[in-house]
Amino acid sequence: MTNNDILRRIRYSFDFSDSAMMKVFAAADQKVTQEQVTAWLKKDDDPRYVSLPDPMMATFLNGLINEKRGKRDGAQPAPEQKLTNNIILNKLKIALNLKAEDLLEYLELANFSLGKHELSAFFRKVGHKHYRECKDQVMRNFLQGLQIKLRGEVDATENNEEPEAE
């Protein structure tokens, strides 16, 4: 999944407007324009589509953490220069204050089964012997389960189509 796919799905799940998206970025001390947000939310085949770089996606997720959990004291953490699905899943887990059972519930809502031990492997350090890479399938199903939990519905995203941006 691309950062743009993930951003579109998060936006849809939380029913964020463009201004709400800008507010999330601002919560991480990053000013973005409505034009930037709109370009990031375009479909891949749209000529106005702009790829969302990893540091900007990390900034958005940091802003989401700040919006949902409150800002930490001290300096804002620097956004990661390289994102993986593991980092994105962990940031969403923190932002939404989810426990392992919650993550497993969201995956179940999307008809995807995963064991608690398999899930915990995603949150280990890269060098750990039980570390496991979070694949796109897991990320896609987690985001679909999140959407079902927050909106109580499955729509076009079930068929790998993204909801339209404003």
Side-chain angles (χ1 to χ4, degrees):
M1 292 186 76
T2 66
N3 289 336
N4 299 66
D5 293 333
I6 294 168
L7 188 71
R8 281 191 296 265
R9 288 172 183 250
I10 290 171
R11 177 184 200 256
Y12 184 77
S13 293
F14 287 99
D15 198 20
F16 285 151
S17 64
D18 287 354
S19 60
M21 297 287 286
M22 292 165 53
K23 187 177 173 193
V24 171
F25 277 103
D29 302 329
Q30 178 69 51
K31 184 170 175 23
V32 295
T33 65
Q34 183 168 359
E35 292 74 29
Q36 285 176 295
V37 171
T38 303
W40 290 328
L41 295 170
K42 296 285 182 200
K43 294 198 183 231
D44 300 2
D45 56 0
D46 190 303
R48 295 165 299 189
Y49 168 87
V50 175
S51 181
L52 178 64
D54 283 352
M56 289 303 281
M57 183 65 184
T59 300
F60 175 80
L61 293 169
N62 290 343
L64 190 62
I65 291 169
N66 291 342
E67 281 283 309
K68 298 290 182 185
R69 304 275 308 260
K71 272 193 173 186
R72 282 191 346 202
D73 292 337
Q76 188 62 23
E80 290 78 359
Q81 296 303 303
K82 180 78 175 109
L83 281 180
T84 64
N85 284 343
N86 297 62
I87 294 170
I88 293 169
L89 187 63
N90 193 43
K91 284 182 178 283
L92 289 170
K93 177 184 169 203
I94 292 167
L96 301 172
N97 199 22
L98 300 176
K99 295 176 179 46
E101 293 78 20
D102 301 323
L103 288 162
L104 294 172
E105 175 192 346
Y106 289 11
L107 289 167
E108 282 292 325
L109 287 171
N111 297 318
F112 188 82
S113 290
L114 196 67
K116 199 169 186 177
H117 295 293
E118 292 174 289
L119 179 67
S120 69
F122 297 143
F123 302 108
R124 300 197 183 277
K125 292 200 182 292
V126 175
H128 192 279
K129 70 178 184 174
H130 294 295
Y131 170 83
R132 193 168 137 210
E133 181 184 332
C134 180
K135 302 285 187 190
D136 284 350
Q137 179 185 19
V138 175
M139 180 60 70
R140 191 175 297 110
N141 282 293
F142 168 73
L143 291 169
Q144 184 176 358
L146 176 67
Q147 175 187 324
I148 293 167
K149 184 73 173 177
L150 295 177
R151 295 188 65 132
E153 60 190 57
V154 177
D155 70 346
T157 57
E158 185 176 44
N159 301 320
N160 290 331
E161 293 175 22
E162 296 301 328
E164 285 297 315
E166 288 180 0

